[in-house]
Amino acid sequence: MTSPPELGALGDQTLASALGWMHAEPGRSWTVSELARRAGASRATLARRFASEVGVAPHEYLTRLRMQEAAHALREGQDGLAAIAGRVGYESEFAFNRAFRREMGVPPGEYRRRAHRLEGASSGTPQGAIPQKR
């Protein structure tokens, strides 16, 4: 079994620091410059190492992290889309909807409906019924 690329990046103190900041505050408007400053590296160094070790650019990783947080909130909570959007860093529900659909393959409302349907379904429900774009 292979581990996610970010686990290997944890051995690099600069990347571990940047990942830690993103995970601590995924809704913050992070820039590569700010993450690099906090991690004690140049912007170019952080961007290059991040892409090399994690496999995506920092902003793409942050988007995926936000969408995972949003998906969890949609499955487990009752907050409205605007509240979830704000919590994961989107100023408008429209921008959140667009990003969620692009990353997860379905709009957030449909994702929530499917998750709740699965929750009430029998244990014979096939895996993968809630799509996640990769």
Side-chain angles (χ1 to χ4, degrees), residues 1-71:
M1 179 175 188
T2 61
S3 61
E6 60 269 22
L7 288 181
L10 294 176
D12 179 318
Q13 189 168 348
T14 299
L15 295 179
S17 178
L19 286 164
W21 286 111
M22 284 191 271
H23 279 265
E25 297 182 69
R28 186 179 178 135
S29 296
W30 291 109
T31 63
V32 176
S33 296
E34 183 176 6
L35 287 166
R37 182 181 54 75
R38 288 178 179 233
S42 73
R43 183 188 179 287
T45 297
L46 177 65
R48 182 177 29 78
R49 286 160 98 181
F50 205 99
S52 174
E53 294 298 319
V54 179
V56 294
H59 70 276
E60 188 175 342
Y61 182 87
L62 183 59
T63 297
R64 289 179 181 176
L65 174 62
R66 288 173 170 175
M67 294 304 109
Q68 289 171 3
E69 294 275 332

Side-chain angles (χ1 to χ4, degrees), residues 100-115:
F100 192 92
R101 182 181 198 130
R102 184 175 54 245
E103 188 65 29
M104 305 302 278
V106 295
E110 178 64 20
Y111 185 92
R112 174 176 269 167
R113 283 188 293 280
R114 289 181 185 187

